[in-house]
Amino acid sequence: MGSMKRRSNQITGEKGSASWVERTASRTMLRAVRFTDEDFAKPVIAVAVPYTNGTPCNDHIRELGDLVQHEVEAAGGKAIVFGTPVVSDGISMGTEAMKYSLVSREVIADAIELMTEGYQVDGVITLSGCDKTIPAALMPIARNDLVGLTLYGGSILPGQHGNQELNIVSAFEGIGAHSAGKIDDQELHTIECRACPGAGSCGGMYTANTMASAIEAMGMSLPGSSSNMAVDRDNKISEHKHKDAGDSARALMELLKKNITARQLMTRKAFENALTVAWALGGSTNAVLHLLALAREAHLDLTLKDISAITSRVPLLGNFKPFGRYLMNDLHRLGGVPMAMKVLLDAGYLHGDCLTVTGRTIEENLQDIPGLPADQNVLFPVGAPYAPAGRHIRILYGNLAEEGCVLKQSGKDLANMSGPARVFDREEDALSAILGGQINPKDIIVIRYEGPKGGPGMREMLSPSAALMGAGLGDAVALITDGRFSGGTHGIMIGHVAPEAQTGGTIGLVREGDRIEINLDKEELNLVVDDKELASRRENWQEPAQRYKQGVLAKYARLVSSASQGAVTS
């Protein structure tokens, strides 16, 4: 294989060497799992397969993993296949189970590291589907500077209800509409039954599609792979995903020949490309957490202030749900993420000289991609965007968020806002108040002790945010939390407040009825309480005891960093 760097010699050895003799026992064991004499001369490729039938996002991933294994071996490698955990955000939403979602990102990344290092593989292809599996699939590749790439399982096709296209957020917002008396039991049941017709990740520009697009823009997955559909209408792996499997295997073998490792691709400019594409498409606030975490693994210094500087200059081009009209399959029909990247590159928003897993640069990958099609409003041109620069993701500071927090504006015309705090220490309590009609226009809901340490696990607040939308309060009530939001969230939502309540952040000092001010002109979030009173509250505040004394959540709470640093444990 030319100049290929061989790590797996430590397992199999080269015939005739001392290592080859010493590793007889290892080869004996590998023969039992169908390795042959010829296989011992091949590069060993790890294939990480986060399969579960517990969510449509990953229901097809085992079959896709089989395809990748076949293609790796057809391309001259020998695959070692393994699984990882998967926690479904959509299924765990609104329950204690959601505390395990962000935690699973760290566990999955660690599991992949255990396998790639435990078997000293030469290269790795990591598959992904549900939200946290996507950054987790790339984190260990960056952490240990492996030769590797990721392959996203693809987006779900929309459900149908009359002339309306449905997706998972339709169900959450249906709950709010039902509680407000806007739809009946039968309508809600119909939405439930039709919203998710088969395999694939949630269809809007939610967290999965956001992160898949960002990683493609970063150069760590193949062009077009993030916008290819998971399955066809018969719920069979799509022809595009079949092709992605083969192309990914062949691309990995070329990276091995050239010994191109992850950190040669995951440069500062590559991260700027990722952020630019994510925000231009209207991506999820979760991308802030995940790209901070990935930058840390790649040994890059990326901060919230850096992210703010990028988002302030990127126009919002995508007209995608949850705030817009369209789903990923609509972008796919137009030419997918490569077409969107071509629009941004031609307008000078991307670094075209960044190397990618194809072995070519971004500019070379996009040279034959056609421009933006006319007579469509899925993706707007740079000269006439859906919303001007600085009107999507915004980073706010102030005495309520000294380390920063994240606002998803999504192109809306938001004004400065102030109102009385409605304070809840758990997501469930806030949801009950919303569904019970206890929240009024101009209220500012505060949900705290839901941060990385305080939850622990930094739950998503999709249930209360969707209930606000369903009740018709999405434009009149703000929600502030040290937790986070689903990519499917829209409305006046401010998350990732740091420092969090559990570590003594000001959000833990807010009292019912206090005035909170959201000042978008200054990009500040402030508690309007005089300094003397605030100092007195801080002096009397005591950190609540952790409810989890053992197990993974207890370990996570001890190790996890602030949301402003990506909520990482490494």
Side-chain angles (χ1 to χ4, degrees):
M1 298 297 291
S3 61
M4 182 183 299
K5 179 182 177 183
R6 292 299 304 275
R7 293 183 354 137
S8 58
N9 290 341
Q10 297 177 52
I11 296 178
T12 56
E14 293 288 355
K15 191 171 184 178
S17 69
S19 173
W20 186 82
V21 174
E22 291 167 359
R23 304 309 291 168
T24 297
S26 296
R27 294 196 308 277
T28 298
M29 294 180 70
L30 290 169
R31 290 182 191 280
V33 291
R34 297 166 297 283
F35 274 62
T36 66
D37 285 339
E38 292 76 18
D39 291 331
F40 294 138
K42 297 174 182 176
V44 176
I45 308 301
V47 180
V49 184
Y51 165 73
T52 178
N53 65 345
T55 171
C57 308
N58 294 60
D59 187 45
H60 63 306
I61 294 294
R62 183 166 64 181
E63 184 179 353
L64 186 60
D66 290 343
L67 288 171
V68 170
Q69 178 182 6
H70 172 79
E71 294 291 352
V72 162
E73 297 185 352
K78 183 62 180 176
I80 290 181
V81 183
F82 58 91
T84 78
V86 181
V87 175
S88 168
D89 289 30
I91 291 172
S92 64
M93 194 71 66
T95 72
E96 288 286 295
M98 171 53 77
K99 293 183 176 181
Y100 290 86
S101 172
L102 187 59
V103 177
S104 76
R105 185 190 71 181
E106 309 301 300
V107 174
I108 295 164
D110 290 350
I112 295 171
E113 179 185 2
L114 285 170
M115 293 300 290
T116 55
E117 297 304 309
Y119 284 88
Q120 287 287 284
V121 300
D122 297 299
V124 56
I125 297 178
T126 54
L127 307 187
S128 63
C130 197
D131 296 1
K132 306 311 167 290
T133 66
I134 303 171
L138 186 51
M139 287 167 68
I141 297 176
R143 181 183 299 169
N144 292 309
D145 198 21
L146 303 179
V147 179
L149 54 82
T150 72
L151 174 58
Y152 177 45
S155 181
I156 194 172
L157 289 165
Q160 299 288 332
H161 178 34
N163 294 324
Q164 181 184 7
E165 286 191 339
L166 302 176
N167 64 91
I168 183 58
V169 176
S170 304
F172 285 100
E173 293 184 358
I175 295 168
H178 181 269
S179 69
K182 296 182 178 182
I183 62 175
D184 60 18
D185 292 353
Q186 183 57 50
E187 180 75 2
L188 181 61
H189 182 69
T190 299
I191 292 170
E192 173 191 332
C193 293
R194 297 184 182 179
C196 295
S201 297
C202 301
M205 197 51 63
Y206 310 143
T207 303
N209 283 328
T210 298
M211 285 308 301
S213 300
I215 289 171
E216 180 179 325
M218 190 186 292
M220 289 304 296
S221 62
L222 290 181
S225 59
S226 62
S227 43
N228 287 335
M229 294 293 101
V231 297
D232 57 28
R233 283 291 178 188
D234 294 324
N235 211 27
K236 303 295 184 183
I237 298 286
S238 73
E239 61 177 309
H240 294 100
K241 279 298 154 196
H242 272 269
K243 186 174 186 301
D244 285 343
D247 290 347
S248 294
R250 289 184 287 275
L252 180 66
M253 300 307 287
E254 288 300 312
L255 291 173
L256 277 168
K257 287 179 182 179
K258 298 172 182 177
N259 196 29
I260 298 175
T261 61
R263 291 187 202 154
Q264 296 174 54
L265 309 180
M266 296 175 69
T267 63
R268 173 59 180 244
K269 291 198 296 185
F271 273 85
E272 291 178 2
N273 284 346
L275 285 159
T276 296
V277 169
W279 303 155
L281 292 177
S284 164
T285 53
N286 280 313
V288 174
L289 281 177
H290 299 326
L291 288 169
L292 286 171
L294 282 166
R296 183 184 179 98
E297 301 286 11
H299 294 188
L300 293 173
D301 183 21
L302 182 71
T303 68
L304 282 179
K305 289 188 182 295
D306 297 326
I307 291 174
S308 181
I310 293 169
T311 190
S312 67
R313 68 178 183 83
V314 177
L316 177 57
L317 307 182
N319 181 12
F320 295 107
K321 292 181 182 295
F323 57 87
R325 176 179 175 185
Y326 295 102
L327 299 170
M328 185 59 102
N329 67 303
D330 298 298
L331 181 63
H332 169 72
R333 286 195 289 262
L334 291 181
V337 169
M339 184 271 296
M341 290 179 63
K342 177 72 169 178
V343 170
L344 290 164
L345 178 68
D346 288 347
Y349 285 95
L350 295 182
H351 302 290
D353 59 342
C354 288
L355 189 64
T356 74
V357 292
T358 66
R360 301 185 298 274
T361 65
I362 291 284
E363 185 172 11
E364 290 169 337
N365 287 342
L366 299 177
Q367 62 184 357
D368 296 326
I369 300 296
L372 189 66
D375 301 323
Q376 55 82 32
N377 61 356
V378 177
L379 197 77
F380 285 66
V382 170
Y386 184 90
R391 292 275 297 277
H392 180 48
I393 299 296
R394 300 179 69 171
I395 308 299
L396 309 182
Y397 294 89
N399 73 355
L400 251 180
E402 293 171 331
E403 293 178 14
C405 61
V406 183
L407 164 70
K408 185 176 181 181
Q409 187 170 348
S410 301
K412 294 187 294 294
D413 291 323
L414 295 184
N416 293 341
M417 180 178 179
S418 66
R422 304 297 307 279
V423 182
F424 304 93
D425 289 347
R426 295 175 71 245
E427 175 192 5
E428 290 87 347
D429 295 339
L431 179 61
S432 294
I434 296 166
L435 296 178
Q438 300 169 30
I439 301 299
N440 302 309
K442 306 302 182 184
D443 283 348
I444 297 182
I445 297 172
V446 176
I447 306 178
R448 62 192 182 187
Y449 296 103
E450 291 284 8
K453 287 184 180 293
M458 204 178 181
R459 288 194 289 182
E460 292 181 346
M461 303 293 119
L462 180 58
S463 294
S465 65
L468 285 173
M469 295 302 299
L473 293 171
D475 295 328
V477 173
L479 196 163
I480 296 170
T481 182
D482 53 8
R484 59 194 176 90
F485 292 111
S486 165
T489 294
H490 58 131
I492 309 171
M493 307 292 159
I494 299 175
H496 309 195
V497 171
E500 62 173 290
Q502 186 72 26
T503 62
T506 304
I507 190 172
L509 308 179
V510 181
R511 293 179 180 172
E512 184 80 8
D514 281 349
R515 183 155 295 275
I516 291 175
E517 182 182 79
I518 303 167
N519 190 322
L520 297 180
D521 297 329
K522 295 182 178 180
E523 297 199 319
E524 289 186 354
L525 176 67
N526 288 307
L527 176 62
V528 186
V529 171
D530 69 64
D531 292 344
K532 184 177 180 180
E533 169 64 18
L534 201 55
S536 174
R537 293 184 191 181
R538 195 177 303 281
E539 185 176 347
N540 292 313
W541 176 85
Q542 291 186 331
E543 179 180 350
Q546 283 285 352
R547 287 193 293 161
Y548 297 89
K549 307 300 183 184
Q550 61 184 26
V552 68
L553 292 182
K555 293 176 187 177
Y556 183 82
R558 287 196 298 270
L559 295 172
V560 70
S561 71
S562 167
S564 66
Q565 299 173 343
V568 295
T569 57
S570 60

